[in-house]
Amino acid sequence: MKRMLFAVLLLAVVSARAEGFRFALMSDLHVTADSLAANDLRHAVDQINATPGLSFVIVSGDFTDYGDDASLRKAKAILDGLKLKYYVTSGNHETKWSESGATAFGRIFGSDRFRFEYGNYLFLGFNTGPVIRMAEGHVAPQDVSWLEKELADYGTERPVFLVTHYPMMKGDVDNWYAVTDAVRKYDIRAFIGGHYHTNRLADYDGIPAFICRSTLRGGEPFGGYSEFEVTADSVIVYERKIGAGPQRWGAYSLKDTYFTADTAGYVRPDFSINARYGRVKETWMTPIGNAIYSSPVLCDGRVYVGDDLGLLNCLDAADGRLLWRFAAKNRIIGTPAAADGTVVFGSADGNIYGIDAKKGKLRWKVETSEAVLGAVTIDGGVAYVGCSDRTFRAIDVRTGREVWTFTGTNGYVETRPLVYDGKVIFGAWDDHLYALDRSDGRLLWSWSDGRRGMHYSPAAVWPVATAGRIFIAAPDRVLSAIDASTGRTLWRTAESTVRETVGLSEDSSKVYSKTMRDSVVCFSTRGDRSEKLWASYVGFGYEIAPSMPQEKDGVVFGSTMNGEVYALDASDGSVLWRHKVDNSLISTVVPLDRNRCLFTSSAGIVGLLEAR
């Protein structure tokens, strides 16, 4: 009798968990060292702790405003005050702006994915990017594979909730369809997340979704959060303002069927441009299997590419065949450089590596105290690279010996340095551009446009220079010309809304930049004022990716955040061809001649395009 009674009680508890439970969701915390956001989060934690009947808490991204380690630790310290177990995944503010290369989040919170079961339900949360590069959200190939495996192991007959920061929709996540297609054959009850700081019901290719408010107070005295109730037949969401009772604002039935496995009728990326320019062929396409955020590097018939799992991949430039891989201990964000038989790259594992270019074996390693996200420039046997430990390094390529170091930056470095006129020039995420003496690393000058704040930093752009002038474009949508000797501003123009992209013509008479809407512009590098030489309507749409225009043999090559590569006539900007590889970020391409270019995609593809 005792055993039967225990079994009955246990069944009752399990049934109650399965058919009636509540949980809290917090999103878009935006904690910084000196803001009201931390207080808003504390109020939310206190109210959740004082609310009876909740089973757990989910936090769906944007823990911080600037993605910095200190703010992440501060947010965690507040969240650790919760009496309930909480589960987390990161947001774009942890991945786009991150001195650790979006690795501190996992180190501080344990992971940016989660999986747990509660009653009959499975909860899965995962990162939606983008990582470091400005672009739409992106679910990395390795995360899609993880999601597919977890769902396959769980089965098709049991209900699932999916948690993401970004809405899984066109215009938010570039490969939203890869996720919705992968999950729709399973019993997905709803997606849950935030990002828009508002309450909204949505559907992701027919799959129900809740988009929830921020913990921030906005224009009200206090902030708030969301509370979900799962009943036998419904999932209901309430807004919980601090100091107020629950206010229901949305629900979905757990009995109704909202979607099927059929994908017909849903919007998908448009590849029709490829038929229009049919002479462009994909000579070879090599799937790496992991997201790629660095550009390809060509040296002696080989292509070198760093990826999101920390692998340096070496491919044959003729056919894309993978020749070897070298494994660092964390992701590679910055573009490598190769010279003198050595490939040099930095990793978020806090090391700078020198690798034998033919054999893929370690030659030397320089340890730093933080992640290395900067692209590498090699000039005269010396590799130049910036790190997140606020140190810029010059390293002997042959031996790995540090030639000199500069410790004067107040932000991490992402860009590829420019070596010009005896100077090493680079920007950092501290709103400054720096010029160092190439021989000893002394600071010669630093430049700022006068506005403070990291979002004004010329940090993602790769500077170019000619005739004593340096050209940059920052997130402020302004093209700037700076005196290379003094750091004095020569001119600035905002007429074309360019963003974080510049490229120099082969004859150095022109500078190219990509605008945020459909076009590429060309300015003269001469004269005391800005002079636009041409503007070309390319038609690539809204655009924010920091991929640099590159000229080769009179053709300007460029790329976009939505998978397109284009070629323009350098003399007047007329469009020669366009080709859509996929729908994800294409980093700065490498032209081989006027008809061919190498590219990498955040979808994990390395390839060679040729206009025949």
Side-chain angles (χ1 to χ4, degrees):
M1 288 295 294
K2 288 183 178 179
R3 290 180 178 175
M4 289 180 62
L5 179 60
F6 176 76
V8 171
L9 290 173
L10 179 61
L11 181 61
V13 170
V14 172
S15 178
R17 289 185 63 184
E19 296 187 351
F21 64 91
R22 293 185 295 133
F23 63 91
L25 176 106
M26 293 187 283
S27 190
D28 300 277
L29 321 178
H30 290 279
V31 169
T32 63
D34 56 354
S35 73
L36 292 173
N39 288 332
D40 291 340
L41 178 57
R42 289 189 186 95
H43 290 312
V45 168
D46 290 344
Q47 183 161 295
I48 290 170
N49 285 339
T51 301
L54 295 176
S55 299
F56 54 85
V57 180
I58 292 173
V59 191
S60 63
D62 277 7
F63 288 64
T64 71
D65 214 20
Y66 301 117
D68 57 293
D69 296 6
S71 295
L72 283 171
R73 287 191 291 268
K74 185 172 184 177
K76 184 176 188 299
I78 299 171
L79 289 169
D80 283 348
L82 285 165
K83 296 177 181 179
L84 297 170
K85 186 171 180 61
Y86 67 93
Y87 303 88
V88 302
T89 189
S90 55
N92 57 296
H93 278 252
E94 283 81 62
T95 57
K96 168 58 188 94
W97 296 284
S98 170
E99 59 196 331
S100 70
T103 61
F105 186 90
R107 192 165 62 246
I108 291 169
F109 287 97
S111 178
D112 60 2
R113 298 173 181 161
F114 66 76
R115 177 200 187 280
F116 71 93
E117 296 180 37
Y118 195 86
N120 291 336
Y121 293 87
L122 172 67
F123 289 79
L124 296 173
F126 53 95
N127 172 41
T128 51
V131 176
I132 301 302
R133 307 300 181 226
M134 181 62 77
E136 290 179 347
H138 178 75
V139 182
Q142 63 268 25
D143 287 323
V144 176
S145 297
W146 171 83
L147 181 62
E148 290 177 319
K149 182 179 185 306
E150 292 292 341
L151 290 171
D153 290 346
Y154 193 66
T156 59
E157 303 301 322
R158 303 167 69 188
V160 181
F161 287 105
L162 299 176
V163 180
T164 63
H165 178 70
Y166 268 112
M168 208 58 52
M169 297 188 294
K170 183 180 187 296
D172 290 299
V173 174
D174 57 27
N175 63 338
W176 82 93
Y177 53 92
V179 176
T180 59
D181 286 357
V183 306
R184 63 188 311 109
K185 66 182 178 181
Y186 298 95
D187 187 17
I188 309 301
R189 293 291 91 198
F191 278 86
I192 301 171
H195 186 61
Y196 283 130
H197 296 218
T198 189
N199 296 322
R200 183 188 310 179
L201 293 178
D203 74 86
Y204 304 160
D205 289 346
I207 304 173
F210 297 95
I211 299 173
C212 299
R213 65 158 295 155
S214 166
T215 59
L216 300 175
R217 67 188 64 188
E220 299 182 339
F222 298 100
Y225 56 94
S226 302
E227 188 176 301
F228 284 81
E229 180 182 10
V230 180
T231 70
D233 60 6
S234 301
V235 53
I236 306 164
V237 63
Y238 304 85
E239 181 175 27
R240 289 299 309 268
K241 295 181 180 180
I242 302 304
Q247 296 293 317
R248 173 173 168 162
W249 62 265
Y252 287 108
S253 169
L254 294 177
K255 301 296 184 181
D256 293 343
T257 299
Y258 291 94
F259 64 95
T260 68
D262 185 10
T263 62
Y266 295 113
V267 174
R268 292 294 181 264
D270 181 4
F271 287 83
S272 61
I273 195 70
N274 294 352
R276 181 178 175 185
Y277 297 97
R279 67 189 184 95
V280 182
K281 305 299 179 183
E282 297 170 355
T283 302
W284 55 259
M285 300 270 281
T286 301
I288 295 298
N290 310 313
I292 301 171
Y293 298 104
S294 71
S295 292
V297 173
L298 177 66
C299 186
D300 296 331
R302 297 187 174 195
V303 181
Y304 303 95
V305 176
D307 73 28
D308 200 36
L309 287 191
L311 297 173
L312 179 69
N313 302 271
C314 175
L315 297 83
D316 189 303
D319 57 15
R321 183 168 41 96
L322 183 64
L323 300 177
W324 54 255
R325 281 175 158 176
F326 174 87
K329 295 179 180 178
N330 216 318
R331 62 170 41 111
I332 301 168
I333 295 293
T335 298
D340 303 324
T342 302
V343 186
V344 181
F345 71 93
S347 167
D349 68 8
N351 292 291
I352 303 166
Y353 293 89
I355 307 299
D356 185 295
K358 290 186 177 180
K359 301 177 180 179
K361 303 298 182 182
L362 179 67
R363 284 186 167 175
W364 50 260
K365 181 173 68 174
V366 175
E367 295 183 4
T368 76
S369 60
E370 299 291 344
V372 185
L373 310 181
V376 180
T377 294
I378 296 177
D379 187 89
V382 177
Y384 302 94
V385 59
C387 308
S388 293
D389 60 0
R390 308 301 192 261
T391 302
F392 189 93
R393 291 171 169 85
I395 301 170
D396 186 288
V397 171
R398 185 176 59 85
T399 65
R401 178 182 62 87
E402 289 188 349
V403 178
W404 51 255
T405 61
F406 170 75
T407 58
T409 68
N410 292 313
Y412 64 96
V413 176
E414 171 187 342
T415 185
R416 186 174 72 178
L418 168 68
V419 179
Y420 175 73
D421 193 27
K423 302 174 183 67
V424 183
I425 299 157
F426 64 95
W429 283 105
D430 61 2
D431 61 61
H432 279 77
L433 185 76
Y434 294 89
L436 309 182
D437 188 293
R438 179 183 172 188
S439 62
D440 58 14
R442 288 181 298 111
L443 177 65
L444 300 177
W445 52 258
S446 65
W447 175 93
S448 172
D449 73 355
R451 289 176 289 183
R452 304 307 300 268
M454 67 175 295
H455 294 154
Y456 295 108
S457 303
V461 66
W462 294 358
V464 298
T466 182
R469 300 173 178 204
I470 299 163
F471 298 89
I472 59 169
D476 61 357
R477 311 175 188 189
V478 177
L479 180 66
S480 299
I482 301 164
D483 187 286
S485 297
T486 65
R488 179 176 61 88
T489 300
L490 298 175
W491 54 258
R492 283 166 56 79
T493 176
E495 65 175 303
S496 298
T497 62
V498 300
R499 183 184 179 117
E500 298 182 293
T501 64
V502 294
L504 189 66
S505 66
E506 289 181 298
D507 65 3
S508 299
S509 67
K510 297 172 287 190
V511 63
Y512 309 109
S513 193
K514 181 174 54 175
T515 76
M516 293 177 64
R517 179 65 67 178
D518 285 313
S519 61
V520 174
V521 292
C522 173
F523 283 81
S524 172
T525 58
R526 313 295 191 233
D528 297 331
R529 297 180 179 180
S530 63
E531 179 188 359
K532 184 188 290 186
L533 301 178
W534 53 254
S536 174
Y537 179 85
V538 183
F540 44 66
Y542 178 65
E543 175 59 25
I544 54 176
S547 51
M548 313 302 143
Q550 304 286 297
E551 184 183 339
K552 185 74 172 180
D553 299 337
V555 175
V556 181
F557 294 83
S559 57
T560 75
M561 68 180 183
N562 290 129
E564 186 172 320
V565 180
Y566 54 84
L568 313 177
D569 188 310
S571 64
D572 60 7
S574 56
V575 177
L576 300 176
W577 55 260
R578 295 166 59 189
H579 186 81
K580 191 172 179 66
V581 175
D582 54 41
N583 206 52
S584 300
L585 170 69
I586 305 292
S587 294
T588 301
V589 301
V590 176
L592 306 185
D593 52 43
R594 66 177 290 107
N595 295 315
R596 299 182 298 156
C597 70
L598 294 163
F599 71 88
T600 56
S601 166
S602 62
I605 299 170
V606 186
L608 174 65
L609 297 180
E610 181 175 3
R612 297 173 180 172

